[in-house]
Amino acid sequence: MWKVLFASAVFFNLSQAAPIDATVENFAIADHFQEIISVIPKDLIKNITYEHLKTDEAFKSAVQFMQTDEWNNRVKIIREKPEWIALKKYMTGFGIHIDKFIKCADGFLQNVTVKLDPMHPPSKKSVRAFLTDIERNLPIAKILSIIHEKMVKNSELQQLFEKMSSDDTRKMIDNVLALSEIRSMLKDLAEMDMDITEMLSLIYAFLGWGELKLQ
């Protein structure tokens, strides 16, 4: 789960267009998230990423796929869907700006150069080794400790999660997850060993929404 949950930190470190705190800069309780972000070893994650871009053919193949017209066109279609627009607008009310994360991801994917070794083609596109290295170098125990402390002691954060766990939020997320383009993207990511549905299932359970059902 943590491999997927913190993989996004890479994009915030590598994108020149946005700093690591871009998604929370306008958040009402940004300082609490800054403490979590501050313990992530940003330079180390950046070094791991570029090392995999040099030596990990499966990772390079996955990144290259996410630079293709096929991937970019699907992202464009999703961003124009009314369900996605409605969710973004709704989440902005909590101070969560989804577009800023997407800009960071795009900044990385579009600006990095990938050169595959023609003599050693990968058997598949995969980010497994990359995510394993990221997970191994994250202070997970410290991050969990900070999150636990804030969830127990901070009433403002507790109120935020209560609002976010509403039926309205779930319906909007369910509507987005029902999009065929989203389903295709989740399938592609799972085939590249990044199973986002695992993280989504944990989020659903954490927010009291029961079992995630993707048909």
Side-chain angles (χ1 to χ4, degrees):
M1 179 260 191
W2 291 105
K3 294 178 186 178
V4 176
L5 190 57
F6 289 105
S8 58
V10 173
F11 295 119
F12 296 120
N13 283 281
L14 298 177
S15 172
Q16 297 300 314
I20 192 168
D21 62 345
T23 54
V24 295
E25 63 184 5
N26 296 319
F27 205 71
I29 49 177
D31 289 345
H32 301 292
F33 288 89
Q34 290 291 354
E35 185 178 347
I36 296 170
I37 291 170
S38 68
V39 303
I40 297 175
K42 295 177 280 294
D43 289 339
L44 181 57
I45 289 176
K46 183 183 295 186
N47 292 338
I48 291 171
T49 303
Y50 282 110
E51 183 62 29
H52 277 269
L53 285 170
K54 291 179 183 178
T55 63
D56 185 346
E57 295 300 307
F59 177 68
K60 288 192 285 183
S61 183
V63 171
Q64 189 177 71
F65 173 66
M66 289 186 281
Q67 294 176 327
T68 62
D69 289 341
E70 176 186 350
W71 183 272
N72 289 326
N73 288 338
R74 187 165 50 191
V75 170
K76 184 176 183 292
I77 291 170
I78 291 171
R79 295 178 75 171
E80 294 173 352
K81 291 285 186 178
E83 295 89 347
W84 177 258
I85 293 171
L87 177 62
K88 283 197 308 175
K89 183 178 179 181
Y90 183 77
M91 297 305 287
T92 300
F94 296 112
I96 299 172
H97 303 278
I98 299 174
D99 268 344
K100 291 184 178 180
F101 168 77
I102 295 174
K103 272 189 177 182
C104 290
D106 283 344
F108 169 68
L109 292 172
Q110 300 310 318
N111 292 320
V112 69
T113 300
V114 178
K115 295 182 180 179
L116 290 170
D117 183 352
M119 302 301 295
H120 301 90
S123 58
K124 64 172 291 188
K125 300 182 288 288
S126 176
V127 297
R128 182 187 300 277
F130 165 70
L131 294 180
T132 297
D133 277 352
I134 294 295
E135 181 184 30
R136 187 181 295 127
N137 287 279
L138 285 173
I140 293 175
K142 189 170 185 179
I143 292 171
L144 286 173
S145 176
I146 295 171
I147 292 173
H148 175 73
E149 182 178 357
K150 292 188 178 300
M151 289 301 299
V152 170
K153 295 183 178 180
N154 188 275
S155 59
E156 193 174 15
L157 189 59
Q158 292 169 7
Q159 291 171 11
L160 170 72
F161 277 96
E162 285 177 9
K163 292 177 182 178
M164 287 186 65
S165 63
S166 70
D167 288 339
D168 288 339
T169 306
R170 176 174 181 170
K171 287 175 184 176
M172 288 192 172
I173 293 177
D174 284 345
N175 289 339
V176 168
L177 292 176
L179 295 173
S180 60
E181 294 82 6
I182 289 286
R183 297 296 180 87
S184 295
M185 186 172 286
L186 292 175
K187 180 175 180 291
D188 283 340
L189 289 170
E191 289 176 352
M192 292 187 284
D193 300 313
M194 182 184 286
D195 190 358
I196 302 296
T197 57
E198 179 187 354
M199 180 181 71
L200 289 171
S201 294
L202 290 169
I203 291 173
Y204 269 55
F206 177 72
L207 294 176
W209 292 345
E211 183 181 358
L212 170 68
K213 296 179 180 179
L214 293 176
Q215 299 179 356

